[in-house]
Amino acid sequence: MLRYVVKRVLLAAITIFLVATITFFLMRMVPGGPFIAEKSISEQAQAALNAKFGLDKPVWVQYKNYMTGALHGDFSLSLKQRGRTVSEIIASKFPISAKLGGLSVLIALAIGIPFGSIAALNRGKWLDQLIMVIATCGIAFPSFVICTVGMYLFGVRLKWLPTFGLTSPLHYILPIFSLAFYPMAYITRLMRSSMLDVLDQDYMRTARSKGLSRSRSLFKHALRNAVLPVVTYVGPMLAYTLTGSFVVEKIFVIPGLGGQFVSSIMTRDYTVIMGTTIFLATLLILMNVVVDIIYKMIDPRIQLK
Amino acid sequence: MSEKLVDIQNEKLSFFTPAGEVKALNDVSLYIRPGEVLGIVGESGSGKSVTAYSLMGLTAHPGRLTGGDIYFNGHHINKMTEKEMRRIRGNEVSIIFQDPMTSLNPVYTIGNQIREGILLHTKRSEKQANERACELLRLVGINEPEKRMKQYPHELSGGMRQRVMIAIALACEPKLLIADEPTTALDVTIQAQILELMMSLKEKLDMSIIIITHDLGVVAGMCDRIAVMYAGKVVECGTTDEIFYQPSHEYTKGLLRSIPNLYEKDHKKLVPIQGLPVDLLDLPEGCPFATRCPNCMKVCMKHMPEYTDLSDNHYSACWLLDKEKFMKKQRGALT
Ligand SMILES: Nc1ncnc2c1ncn2[C@@H]1O[C@H](COP(=O)(O)OP(=O)(O)OP(=O)(O)O)[C@@H](O)[C@H]1O
Ligand code: SF4
Ligand SMILES: [Mg+2]
C-alpha cells in the first residue's frame, strides 16, 4: 500500500511536470501573443506590458520563472483579465462546470447502467434493439447537434425549458442532458457487453443452482462484476466532464471553465492556459487514483501496486 | 425393486436456435435409487450436462423440454413452476461443476458464498449460518475454516476451491449431488482426493450421486451403475461390472477400447472411435451410431433400435442384441 502511494505520487509529479513543459513550449510555438492583436496599444505600451509580465525575456528563462512560481503555488496573474490571478479564475469557474458535469455523469450512470443491463437481459429482442439504436445515436451525434436539437425542441418549440444561463434549477436540465448524452450512451453499451459477458460466467450458474432467484443472482452476483469496466471508463471521463465542455457552455451561455479555457487559447492568455492545463492533468491523475481505489473495493483480486 | 429417487422417462429436449432445432436429448430414460452412485459417460455433446441441468430445472435458453417426464424425490419436476423449483435447488438437489476456478464468484468471500444457500433454505440466523459454513468446510477437509471463510476464491488453490464448491452443494444436506465432470480441471492427485472425498461424504450424508464424465476409467471405481450416452440417448445402462465386462452396445465397446487400462499389464493398443459425432440438427432415422459402427447393418440405418433387457439392471439399445435374440429363438424353434 505504501509502495502504491509513493509510486502514484512520483508518477503524478513526473506527469504534471511533463504536461506543463510540453504545453508551455507548444503554446509559445503558436504565432501571436497576448498583446499583439490589440490595435489600440502603441508599440511602447506593448513593450511595457511584455516587460511587466516578463515576456521580453528568453523563453527558457520565462519557463524557469513560471515553473518556480508554480512549484510554490503561484500560478501568476492572468495576462488578459486585469488583476485576477489564474487561481482565482479557476476557483470561480470550476464549480460551475463541476456542478453541471457531476450531475450529468450521475445521470449518465443512473440511466446507462440499468438500460445496458436491461438490453443484455433481453439480448436480441426488440427492447435490446431499441436501446442499442438510441445508444448508437448518442455516440454518433456530436454534442452541438444534441444541444441544438434539445434547445429547439424543448426551449423554442415546446417552451418547457429556458435555453440559456443558469439562474434556476430548470436552467440546468438542458445543459446537463446535453452533457450526459454521450457518456450515457457509452455506459449503456459498455454495460450491455460486460453484462452479457458476466451472464455467461460459471458463477452465475452456481448462483442459480443454489436456488437464488433470477433477480437476486442478478443484483448480487452479476451487477458487481459487470460494473467494473464502467468504473474504469467513468474515472477519466469524470475529469473531462467536470472541467466543462466548451460547446455546451458556449451554446447555453454558461460561464464555466470549458469556455474559459478555449477563450484563453484564442487570446493567448498564456498563464490561464498553463494553469487550466495543469489543473486538468492533476484532476485526471486524481480520478485515476479514485478509480483504482473503487476498483479495489469492488474486486478483491486487484492489488494496488 | 426399491423405490427410485430420480426417474427420468423418455426425456426429449431441444434447443431452438436460429440454425434450427438442436435435438440435444432424444428419449433419455434413467433412474437412480437412494444412496446409489450413477456414472454418466459419453463423448462431448452427447447430452450429459443437459440431462443433469434439466433435472434441476436449469435448462439454458433457448432449450425446452419437448417430451417425457422427470420425477425427483416425489416431485414432478417438469410440472413445477420456477418458484417451486427454487425451493428444491441447492436444498434437495445440488450440483458441482467442472471448473472450480470460474464457478465461484471472484468478488465475494468464501464464507459469503457458502452462507448464501444456508440462509436461503433454512431458518438459521446469520451467526448460525456462519457456524454451519465452518462446519461444512471442516467436513470437506479444509483446515482453519474461520480463516478461509474470510478469503476470496483467488486466494485458494483449485483443489481447495472444488472442496468449497462441494461444501456449498452440501450446505442443506441434499438427497442428490450432481457432479458435472468435477475433476476434469484438476491435477491427477487432486482428482483422486476429490473423488475420495465425495465417496466418504456420500456414506456420511446418505445421498445419491450422479457423476458425469467423459473418462470412464476415472469413475469406474466409485459407480454402482453406469449410463452410456450417445447423441442424446442412453444407449446402454448397467452395473459397473456389466458395462466393463459385458459391454453390449457397439459404442460402449468402442469407448472401452479407447481408454487406457491401468490394471492390466498387457497394454492393448488403444483404438479411438472413428468418425464424427452426429449432427444434432439433423438426426438420422435409425441408430445414431450407425455411421461410425463397425457392425452396422441395413436395419440400423432405417429403424431406431429398442432397448433389450440383458439383466435386471442392464439394458442396451442395439439391433445386434435383438438379432441374437432372434437367432436364438429361431434355433430354439428348430430343435
Ligand atoms: N445453450 C445451448 N444452445 C444450443 N445448444 C446447446 C446449448 N447447450 C447445449 N446444447 C447442445 O446440447 C448438446 C449436448 O450438450 P451437453 O452440454 O449436454 O454435452 P455434454 O455431454 O455435457 O458434453 P461435454 O462433455 O462437452 O460437457 C450439445 O451438442 C449442444 O449442441
Ligand atoms: S444398432 Fe446397429 S449401428 Fe447401432 S450400434 Fe447396434 S449394430 Fe451398430
Ligand atoms: Mg458437459
Side-chain angles (χ1 to χ4, degrees), chain A:
Chain A
M1 194 60 204
L2 183 73
R3 236 189 85 196
Y4 170 77
V5 173
V6 171
K7 196 174 134 195
R8 270 295 172 169
V9 170
L10 269 176
L11 259 172
I14 296 171
T15 313
I16 292 170
F17 172 77
L18 284 178
V19 166
T21 307
I22 293 169
T23 313
F24 191 93
F25 289 105
L26 271 181
M27 190 170 75
R28 294 311 169 96
M29 276 155 66
V30 180
F35 310 115
I36 288 168
E38 290 164 63
K39 291 194 192 88
S40 57
I41 296 182
S42 65
E43 293 266 324
Q44 290 106 309
Q46 248 188 54
L49 275 171
N50 277 337
K52 182 187 168 201
F53 291 106
L55 297 178
D56 52 346
K57 300 201 180 75
V59 175
W60 67 269
V61 176
Q62 291 181 37
Y63 169 72
K64 207 186 86 201
N65 289 343
Y66 180 82
M67 292 303 260
T68 344
L71 213 58
H72 293 89
D74 174 15
F75 292 92
S76 325
L77 289 167
S78 162
L79 303 181
K80 305 294 285 187
Q81 300 182 35
R82 205 149 298 166
R84 297 189 77 197
T85 65
V86 173
S87 306
E88 270 168 28
I89 292 174
I90 292 177
S92 72
K93 305 261 170 161
F94 175 64
I96 299 171
S97 297
K99 200 160 158 194
L100 279 181
L103 284 169
S104 68
V105 170
L106 276 184
I107 285 177
L109 285 169
I111 294 178
I113 291 176
F115 276 74
S117 308
I118 290 170
L121 290 173
N122 292 285
R123 169 172 23 180
K125 299 197 187 126
W126 67 267
L127 196 56
D128 176 28
Q129 280 158 3
L130 180 71
I131 291 174
M132 286 327 277
V133 165
I134 297 172
T136 309
C137 289
I139 285 176
F141 291 152
S143 66
F144 69 85
V145 173
I146 309 258
C147 289
T148 10
V149 169
M151 202 167 188
Y152 177 74
L153 218 64
F154 298 105
V156 179
R157 258 288 139 86
L158 299 165
K159 297 204 194 314
W160 288 350
L161 297 168
T163 55
F164 64 85
L166 278 181
T167 39
S168 77
L170 270 187
H171 283 81
Y172 280 84
I173 295 178
L174 273 179
I176 283 180
F177 271 92
S178 308
L179 276 173
F181 219 71
Y182 179 85
M184 188 166 80
Y186 199 90
I187 291 170
T188 304
R189 293 174 61 108
L190 211 56
M191 193 64 199
R192 177 182 182 269
S193 72
S194 77
M195 186 56 104
L196 281 178
D197 194 44
V198 166
L199 290 176
D200 268 346
Q201 293 293 314
D202 290 348
Y203 55 76
M204 290 308 292
R205 198 175 49 182
T206 308
R208 298 270 289 131
S209 77
K210 284 178 190 170
L212 291 184
S213 66
R214 212 174 287 265
S215 57
R216 268 290 291 283
S217 63
L218 218 78
F219 278 104
K220 180 171 173 188
H221 290 276
L223 210 53
R224 191 157 159 186
N225 282 288
V227 89
L228 287 170
V230 176
V231 172
T232 317
Y233 165 70
V234 165
M237 190 269 289
L238 193 61
Y240 289 117
T241 320
L242 289 180
T243 46
S245 144
F246 168 70
V247 173
V248 173
E249 288 177 6
K250 262 280 170 302
I251 292 179
F252 293 106
V253 199
I254 294 162
L257 196 59
Q260 173 65 56
F261 186 47
V262 174
S263 69
S264 72
I265 295 173
M266 299 309 218
T267 60
R268 307 283 188 276
D269 195 340
Y270 292 148
T271 49
V272 175
I273 297 176
M274 285 302 292
T276 320
T277 308
I278 291 173
F279 182 72
L280 177 61
T282 315
L283 200 64
L284 248 176
I285 290 168
L286 218 75
M287 285 304 158
N288 275 321
V289 173
V290 172
V291 166
D292 272 4
I293 292 169
I294 294 180
Y295 215 101
K296 162 94 185 148
M297 271 158 48
I298 298 180
D299 188 345
R301 281 171 301 182
I302 303 302
Q303 296 269 319
L304 293 183
K305 52 177 192 246

Side-chain angles (χ1 to χ4, degrees), chain A residues 125 201-214 216 219-222 224-225 228 298-303, chain B residues 53 56 58 82 86 89-90 93 95 97 99 102-108 112-114 116-117 120-121 152 154 165 168:
Chain A
K125 299 197 187 126
Q201 293 293 314
D202 290 348
Y203 55 76
M204 290 308 292
R205 198 175 49 182
T206 308
R208 298 270 289 131
S209 77
K210 284 178 190 170
L212 291 184
S213 66
R214 212 174 287 265
R216 268 290 291 283
F219 278 104
K220 180 171 173 188
H221 290 276
R224 191 157 159 186
N225 282 288
L228 287 170
I298 298 180
D299 188 345
R301 281 171 301 182
I302 303 302
Q303 296 269 319
Chain B
Y53 298 162
M56 295 188 82
L58 282 178
E82 163 66 20
R86 285 210 298 266
R89 269 184 227 136
V93 51
I95 187 162
F97 300 103
D99 196 347
T102 55
S103 293
L104 289 164
N105 193 330
V107 303
Y108 291 107
N112 184 327
Q113 297 186 58
I114 304 181
E116 209 169 19
L120 192 70
H121 294 297
Y152 289 93
H154 72 275
M165 282 304 291
I168 291 174

Side-chain angles (χ1 to χ4, degrees), chain B residues 114-178:
Chain B
I114 304 181
R115 226 163 28 225
E116 209 169 19
I118 304 171
L119 290 171
L120 192 70
H121 294 297
T122 65
K123 290 201 172 63
R124 286 187 172 90
S125 68
E126 189 102 0
K127 188 163 163 281
Q128 289 168 319
N130 263 330
E131 281 160 14
R132 171 74 179 143
C134 278
E135 187 186 310
L136 284 161
L137 284 177
R138 229 169 272 130
L139 186 70
V140 297
I142 290 180
N143 42 24
E144 299 182 274
E146 283 85 6
K147 184 180 142 204
R148 300 292 177 204
M149 294 271 288
K150 295 195 190 75
Q151 287 185 312
Y152 289 93
H154 72 275
E155 298 173 85
L156 306 184
S157 69
M160 197 89 100
R161 282 188 232 187
Q162 196 60 301
R163 283 172 196 265
V164 171
M165 282 304 291
I166 295 176
I168 291 174
L170 299 184
C172 301
E173 305 206 346
K175 289 274 187 317
L176 173 68
L177 174 67
I178 301 171

Side-chain angles (χ1 to χ4, degrees), chain B residues 15 17 22 24-25 42-51 53 60-63 98 180-181 212 214 280:
Chain B
F15 289 92
T17 67
V22 178
L25 301 184
E43 63 192 357
S44 195
S46 55
K48 306 180 296 289
S49 301
V50 169
T51 308
Y53 298 162
H61 182 80
Q98 173 172 345
D180 191 355
E181 312 205 18
I212 296 173
H214 52 242
L280 294 177

